[in-house]
DNA sequence: TATTGTTATACTCTATAACTATA
DNA sequence: TATAGTTATAGAGTATAACAATA
């Protein structure tokens, strides 16, 4: 990560011996983003064999756990905009992991359901993610982990005004 | 956020009363991402008046705190790829917030320095981010906040293999 | 009128390969 | 040959406006 310096005796001000991020370290968001970077990269490799990504797996899991879910409900649950969900579901539907059934009582809406293949892939991928999490969070005791989640949820409560 | 249901007495399986995310709630990454979403959206609004984003402010802060920094060092510190840094710096340089000085001892490299305008904007933006953080993390005691940061840093240690 | 899903669009962030000029 | 910065490019995530069909 850090680079070997090729000129130990260079003139002052031309280079920096060690990068100070003291100001940034005062911000939780900075550490949160860096941690997220590590998780995203590792999760990406974890889910690649399944042809899934963080967002597609999230959608699949929620559909498996909530058969009949509507797209607007799913978008709300995933905290993404409706238009962005459409392409994700197109992908899952094309791979025949989910189906979009018409809702008889509201012909505008779709009832999302996982296929058998979808449920099986979901199960396997969730197991892989469990292993990925165990690997990344092995330094945290169960108590620390619970505290971390509590802290993260308190942040989620803060809705953006306007 | 959650939607009012238009048909309280609809046929079973067509809709879902309350979305269960029990499976996902078992994953730290899920809560981390949701927290990150909230922070990113709020930070975006916070930095908009300054014409900055999370990444451009991060770069600016590091340059202010480390005069003479090289681009490769900065990319390492920011945990982004070198090519992606170039356009960020182009933006900061075009706005005359930083300069790229040639390093006399190594004509391949640039010594990054903030201008007076850059240092001033940085100071104001950092103050705004402090307020933003205080707003988002007000539920956390100072101790909890420190524990959160410790947990996040332990995750950062986990480098991605390969 | 309001809502569901959709299209189109744009911006941001991330990742990789290949180039140039220096070392 | 290796490194610093660059160009080009592609994929992925996010955000908004506007539309057709339906309620």
């Amino acid at each position: 990560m850090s680079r070997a310096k090729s000129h130990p005796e260079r003139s002052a001000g031309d280079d920096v011996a060690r990068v100070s991020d003291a100001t940034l370290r005062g911000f939780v968001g900075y550490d949160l983003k860096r941690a997220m970077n590590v998780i995203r990269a590792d999760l990406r490799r974890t889910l690649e064999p399944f042809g899934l990504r963080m967002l597609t797996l999230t959608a699949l899991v929620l559909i498996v756990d909530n058969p009949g879910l509507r797209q607007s409900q799913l978008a709300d649950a995933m905290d993404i905009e409706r238009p962005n969900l459409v392409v994700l579901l197109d992908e899952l539907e094309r791979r025949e992991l989910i189906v979009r059934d018409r809702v008889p009582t509201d012909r505008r809406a779709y009832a999302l359901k996982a296929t058998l293949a979808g449920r099986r892939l979901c199960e396997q991928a969730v197991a892989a993610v469990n292993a990925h999490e165990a690997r990344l969070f092995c330094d945290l005791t169960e108590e620390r982990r619970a505290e971390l989640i509590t802290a993260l949820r308190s942040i989620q409560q803060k809705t953006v005004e306007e």
Side-chain angles (χ1 to χ4, degrees), chain A:
Chain A
M1 214 57 168
S2 56
R3 272 163 178 67
K5 291 183 293 299
S6 46
H7 290 282
E9 71 301 339
R10 68 206 171 284
S11 59
D14 290 343
D15 201 347
V16 174
R18 203 186 170 294
V19 181
S20 157
D21 59 353
T23 303
L24 295 172
R25 283 296 182 189
F27 296 130
V28 178
Y30 179 66
D31 277 310
L32 211 51
K33 179 166 191 299
R34 292 183 75 91
M36 200 60 217
N37 277 354
V38 173
I39 293 171
R40 188 172 20 73
D42 192 86
L43 191 59
R44 190 187 170 196
R45 281 171 171 79
T46 299
L47 292 180
E48 204 168 39
F50 305 100
L52 293 170
R53 304 184 305 279
M54 187 175 342
L55 281 178
T56 51
L57 177 61
T58 302
L60 184 56
V61 168
L62 287 170
I63 294 170
V64 167
D65 283 359
N66 302 274
L69 197 66
R70 293 188 188 187
Q71 293 189 196
S72 53
Q73 289 180 301
L74 180 54
D76 268 3
M78 291 179 64
D79 199 21
I80 65 175
E81 300 301 319
R82 258 75 83 214
N84 297 326
L85 181 62
V86 174
V87 285
L88 291 185
L89 295 183
D90 286 347
E91 191 180 329
L92 293 177
E93 193 181 34
R94 184 177 41 73
R95 292 181 59 196
E96 300 187 344
L97 300 172
I98 65 158
V99 291
R100 285 192 246 223
D101 284 348
R102 278 285 179 199
V103 177
T105 52
D106 185 346
R107 291 181 37 75
R108 294 172 303 181
Y110 288 113
L112 301 172
K113 282 166 190 165
T115 63
L116 179 59
R119 288 194 298 277
R120 283 186 175 149
L121 187 71
C122 183
E123 195 180 0
Q124 292 168 17
V126 165
V129 174
N130 271 318
H132 140 89
E133 291 242 333
R135 194 165 59 243
L136 285 183
F137 307 135
C138 61
D139 289 347
L140 278 63
T141 63
E142 199 49 50
E143 195 194 352
R144 289 279 185 183
R145 197 159 159 276
E147 284 171 4
L148 172 59
I149 289 181
T150 303
L152 293 173
R153 292 196 189 162
S154 85
I155 296 168
Q156 292 170 32
Q157 306 289 332
K158 309 292 171 188
T159 43
V160 180
E161 62 271 24
E162 178 247 358

